[in-house]
Amino acid sequence: METVSKNTAHGGTQGVYKHASRQTGTDMTFSVFVPPHDEGAKLPVVWYLSGLTCTHANVTEKGEFRRRCAELGLIFVAPDTSPRGEDVADDAEKAYDFGLGAGFYVDATQEPFAKHYRMWSYVTEELPALIAENFPADMDRQSIMGHSMGGHGALTIGLTFPDRFKAVSAFAPIVAPSQVPWGHKALPGYLGDDRAEWRKHDAVALIEDGARVDALLVDQGEADNFLAEQLKPQLLETACQDAGIDLTLRMQPGYDHSYYFISTFMNDHLNWHAERLK
């Protein structure tokens, strides 16, 4: 693991790191904030998954999470959204919503993406092992959150591993990719035409098929230009009601899809996670 940069912030350390990934077959970059702590202490870990076009840098630079993580004693980990490199397949038309920067947190089975696009295994297996080995992380106390495509990833991973993640939340998530244009492009492109495979990476479908968590927190901006066509939080609301999942869905007037929105409500989510990570 190579240290790309390291800076002191709020008494802790904000680092950016790079390593050669076995899962993706590429170099992968991620950021980790470690708050101030006593020597030998093990700290809970909050995972943050980013959205379309993003890297680790978007939330690291714009998320405004460090002060609250320092106060709450939370490690904050932000992976990239897809493999990158000269030989990594991209969308033929260089579209923003498929290919580089749009890994959708799945293990692709379709060529030419299957070789490198293994973001599910990277985020759920390889990177957690690296974090456990190199940082003062209490891997028995993990939670996960994300934004947009990363909200989709956080929900699907949290629902798949409910015993691992003590809290799951999202900002403007893609709750039902099987039912929206982004998903209609990404899921067959990465996973093929078997819709049963799609359901494993669709939060609403997972809940319909029996996946359960105790509670979810979702913030959604009412001025989000993707709200009606791509995000459809009402589908998650219905699924949670039918399943008895305690969903807190907060529709925020005036807020869009940007990091102005995310940073405004980041502390609320960190507080919510910290309560469940005690």
Side-chain angles (χ1 to χ4, degrees):
M1 189 179 74
E2 173 188 342
T3 300
V4 177
S5 64
K6 189 177 286 188
N7 298 93
T8 300
H10 297 286
T13 301
Q14 177 64 66
V16 177
Y17 307 92
K18 182 169 69 173
H19 73 115
S21 168
R22 296 184 304 275
Q23 288 292 345
T24 68
T26 67
D27 285 345
M28 294 294 290
T29 303
F30 61 95
S31 75
V32 181
F33 176 71
V34 178
H37 59 282
D38 294 333
E39 185 175 354
K42 291 289 189 178
L43 307 174
V45 180
V46 177
W47 293 85
Y48 179 93
L49 305 184
S50 296
L52 292 167
T53 75
C54 292
T55 69
H56 71 281
N58 296 75
V59 70
T60 305
E61 296 171 2
K62 303 175 185 177
E64 299 182 19
F65 57 86
R66 277 174 287 270
R67 179 185 294 277
R68 197 67 186 125
C69 282
E71 294 168 346
L72 294 170
L74 301 173
I75 293 175
F76 191 96
V77 182
D80 202 348
T81 54
S82 78
R84 300 177 193 272
E86 291 184 3
D87 64 337
V88 175
D90 194 8
D91 181 75
E93 299 178 357
K94 306 293 184 184
Y96 78 96
D97 55 358
F98 187 71
L100 294 180
F104 269 84
Y105 304 98
V106 302
D107 286 346
T109 58
Q110 304 302 297
E111 299 300 337
F113 302 99
K115 180 179 180 181
H116 297 297
Y117 283 77
R118 296 187 52 80
M119 291 304 297
W120 179 272
S121 292
Y122 178 72
V123 169
T124 64
E125 298 174 15
E126 184 175 12
L127 189 54
L130 197 67
I131 296 299
E133 181 180 352
N134 291 280
F135 299 92
D138 181 353
M139 303 306 280
D140 291 328
R141 290 189 293 161
Q142 298 182 69
S143 67
I144 191 165
M145 68 168 79
H147 168 234
S148 193
M149 179 187 71
H152 140 76
L155 292 174
T156 56
I157 290 171
L159 285 162
T160 303
F161 301 102
D163 293 334
R164 182 189 305 185
F165 297 102
K166 310 304 182 187
V168 184
S169 73
F171 302 94
I174 308 169
V175 303
S178 299
Q179 302 185 52
V180 301
W182 278 337
H184 291 164
K185 182 175 186 177
L187 295 179
Y190 291 133
L191 301 176
D193 295 328
D194 183 356
R195 287 180 174 261
E197 291 300 311
W198 297 11
R199 295 185 71 82
K200 300 174 185 177
H201 297 283
D202 181 308
V204 168
L206 281 167
I207 293 169
E208 291 174 349
D209 292 344
R212 296 290 182 268
V213 293
D214 291 336
L216 295 170
L217 171 63
V218 173
D219 273 302
Q220 172 63 62
E222 290 186 354
D224 190 323
N225 58 318
F226 300 115
L227 175 58
E229 184 179 25
Q230 304 281 13
L231 305 179
K232 299 184 181 293
Q234 70 275 10
L235 298 177
L236 180 65
E237 188 172 33
T238 298
C240 287
Q241 287 174 348
D242 292 344
I245 295 173
D246 181 11
L247 169 66
T248 300
L249 173 61
R250 307 193 307 182
M251 301 300 297
Q252 304 291 1
Y255 285 91
D256 59 14
H257 202 68
S258 72
Y259 270 86
Y260 295 109
F261 158 63
I262 296 166
S263 62
T264 299
F265 301 104
M266 177 64 79
N267 282 1
D268 290 353
H269 283 244
L270 292 172
N271 292 340
W272 194 81
H273 284 243
E275 181 65 29
R276 287 155 180 79
L277 288 167
K278 284 182 178 177

